[in-house]
Amino acid sequence: AADAALAQGSAAGQSGVLEEIVVTARQRSESLIEVPVAVSSINAETLQDYGTTDIRDLSRMAPSLNIDRASSGAGGVLALRGIGTSPGQAGFDQAVSINIDGVQTGRARVLTQGLFDIEQVDVLKGPQALFFGKNSPAGVISIRSAGPTREFSGYARAGYEFGADEA
């Protein structure tokens, strides 16, 4: 009877089973539990649920990540765990590197682009010189675009706003 109750309980709890999170943060696919780095992994569904359209929106989803536009128009300010580089320092690369589909960017000009058709975003905290080069002392934001599919698909996003006649 105990085995039957256990089997029934496990069958009822199948919807509560955690799925494995696979990240490619270290240039290969591996389980999040095996990565020896503090990683915040955000998948496409979460990005869509939060209505993420701008890379600055990632700071709401990844702890200790701060992203903002620079007032000088030189891209932006990225800081991870309190470590960042001023955008006015032309001789220095950003302390937080951005990697888009394997292409490393050392400056925060990428902040002017929108997040469109993204499969996954991994935020790696701490120095990542082994996998991403010397220009990542604070960490790396690794963005992976969604690949092509065999089926034709698309989506649309709409919004609304109430106009108040206030004086």
Side-chain angles (χ1 to χ4, degrees), residues 117 119 145-149:
D117 209 17
E119 182 177 343
S145 299
T149 60

Side-chain angles (χ1 to χ4, degrees), residues 4-166:
L6 182 60
Q8 183 181 14
S10 65
Q14 284 291 6
S15 63
V17 174
L18 295 176
E19 63 183 65
E20 182 181 20
I21 300 173
V22 177
V23 296
T24 57
R26 296 191 316 155
Q27 308 295 343
R28 61 178 178 249
S29 296
E30 56 190 339
S31 174
L32 182 61
I33 196 82
E34 296 172 357
V35 179
V37 177
V39 178
S40 296
S41 185
I42 306 162
N43 64 7
E45 291 175 9
T46 304
L47 291 170
Q48 196 168 28
D49 289 346
Y50 279 90
T52 306
T53 58
D54 192 352
I55 196 167
R56 292 179 295 165
D57 295 336
L58 294 176
S59 60
R60 293 184 292 157
M61 293 178 263
S64 71
L65 175 65
N66 296 318
I67 303 173
D68 203 5
R69 291 189 190 266
S71 59
S72 64
V77 179
L78 291 137
L80 190 56
R81 290 185 172 174
I83 302 171
T85 306
S86 171
Q89 297 176 342
F92 296 103
D93 282 336
Q94 289 285 136
V96 180
S97 293
I98 299 175
N99 185 296
I100 301 174
D101 293 330
V103 178
Q104 191 82 357
T105 61
R107 302 301 296 167
R109 282 272 181 222
V110 73
L111 293 179
T112 59
Q113 298 177 350
L115 287 181
F116 177 72
D117 209 17
I118 301 297
E119 182 177 343
Q120 186 168 342
V121 176
D122 298 323
V123 179
L124 288 78
K125 299 169 183 149
Q128 303 299 322
L130 182 61
F131 295 102
F132 294 98
K134 65 180 179 64
N135 297 332
S136 56
V140 172
I141 300 172
S142 178
I143 300 172
R144 191 172 67 221
S145 299
T149 60
R150 293 190 179 274
E151 303 89 33
F152 180 75
S153 64
Y155 64 90
R157 205 178 274 176
Y160 63 92
E161 182 176 324
F162 293 106
D165 293 326
E166 298 176 357

